[in-house]
Amino acid sequence: MTDPTLRMPNTVLRVVLDLGVLPLDIPPLPPRFRHPEFDADWDDEEQVAGIFLGFDDGEFHLDILEEGVEYHFHNADGSSSDDSPWPAADTQALVDWATGFVLHVAPRLPDLLEDSDEAAEWHHVGLPVYSRDYGPVPLEIIDVELEGEQLMLPWLGSGHIADDHLDGPDHPIALLWNPEHEDPDIPIARVWLNPKTGEPTARAEAGVDWSAVGLTKAEVLSWAESLYLNNHVIGDPAQMIMRAALERMAGLDR
């Protein structure tokens, strides 16, 4: 198991961002949708903004194109659907709210993603506040709590190491190894999120030559659990900053 005494403490990063004029003049959001999990991306080549709202019982995805806004749904199991998983009245209210929201977010998204990445870099070097010169525009101050990472050594075994997502419950990954080339392809361990503890759990694959790997089985499993915690459990700082900005623009962080 990972050693909790080697976990860095959480920190708060204060970010100062240009989010446009707030609050937004958009229709109200039904109470059942008051706590979405936000995500966003920007396709620079296609010039398409994507906004994602996740809920316990489904997801709502919107693409903002030159021609307008397109959207589709995902069911609770992640499968895509043209049909909403929610009642018609709630769905229409969500569409009306989200359309106004994404039209405000979309033109700001490229700069906002860049600011989030830069703010995360400031955080990594230990700076407690991020801001840049936006000019004379209204600015928002957001305090973002960022989770502390598990302290871990770089890979000290032989060869090369990588991880790969697997299908199955509890979000498993495979730890892959190769003694020679930089494209690891030999599974040596499997790691997943223990639903009872909320912590990573690792299991060694059968038939591994640990002498060739260069570390003991226990060392590899501990290292794999730390890798999983840092890369697949703890929120990425840039993504956490972006989500906090989206929540502020949506008026859902107060």
Side-chain angles (χ1 to χ4, degrees):
M1 294 180 62
T2 55
D3 185 349
T5 64
L6 299 178
R7 182 85 178 265
M8 295 293 290
N10 290 2
T11 56
V12 174
L13 176 68
R14 174 160 291 184
V15 294
V16 183
L17 300 170
D18 174 12
L19 304 181
V21 178
L22 301 178
L24 302 182
D25 183 18
I26 55 179
L29 188 63
R32 71 180 300 157
F33 299 125
R34 293 289 297 177
H35 300 288
E37 181 175 333
F38 282 107
D39 206 352
D41 65 19
W42 170 256
D43 187 325
D44 192 52
E45 183 176 340
E46 299 293 334
Q47 298 287 293
V48 175
I51 307 291
F52 315 98
L53 294 88
F55 307 93
D56 290 339
D57 51 358
E59 299 177 6
F60 186 41
H61 293 198
L62 302 102
D63 291 321
I64 301 87
L65 316 169
E66 289 186 2
E67 300 80 16
V69 179
E70 296 181 354
Y71 61 83
H72 67 276
F73 303 93
H74 286 251
N75 297 312
D77 62 4
S79 59
S80 180
S81 173
D82 291 330
D83 297 323
S84 170
W86 304 292
D90 284 348
T91 298
Q92 188 59 55
L94 176 62
V95 170
D96 293 342
W97 175 88
T99 300
F101 174 66
V102 300
L103 290 177
H104 176 84
V105 173
R108 296 169 173 80
L109 195 53
D111 288 341
L112 190 54
L113 287 166
E114 184 177 334
D115 287 343
S116 298
D117 287 339
E118 189 172 86
E121 292 177 7
W122 288 35
H123 163 70
H124 284 309
V125 299
L127 298 176
V129 179
Y130 168 79
S131 184
R132 64 177 178 85
D133 184 7
Y134 294 98
V137 296
L139 299 173
E140 294 287 323
I141 300 173
I142 307 174
D143 290 331
V144 186
E145 184 175 6
L146 301 172
E147 294 183 84
E149 291 189 345
Q150 180 84 7
L151 294 177
M152 58 184 296
L153 294 169
W155 177 252
L156 298 178
S158 67
H160 303 276
I161 206 80
D163 64 283
D164 187 32
H165 287 275
L166 300 173
D167 294 330
D170 305 321
H171 311 288
I173 67 167
L175 188 67
L176 305 174
W177 171 79
N178 191 283
E180 298 176 355
H181 58 75
E182 297 185 9
D183 187 17
D185 56 356
I186 303 171
I188 61 173
R190 175 182 293 244
V191 196
W192 64 94
L193 193 64
N194 188 317
K196 294 182 179 179
T197 65
E199 297 291 330
T201 299
R203 182 191 70 204
E205 298 290 359
V208 176
D209 183 350
W210 299 108
S211 296
V213 171
L215 294 172
T216 67
K217 179 172 73 173
E219 289 172 326
V220 170
L221 295 185
S222 178
W223 190 89
E225 289 176 350
S226 296
L227 175 76
Y228 189 101
L229 184 68
N230 285 347
N231 293 356
H232 302 284
V233 177
I234 295 174
D236 174 70
Q239 192 173 44
M240 297 295 290
I241 294 163
M242 185 69 200
R243 288 178 178 174
L246 292 169
E247 289 177 356
R248 175 62 57 86
M249 285 189 284
L252 300 178
D253 66 332
R254 295 183 175 91

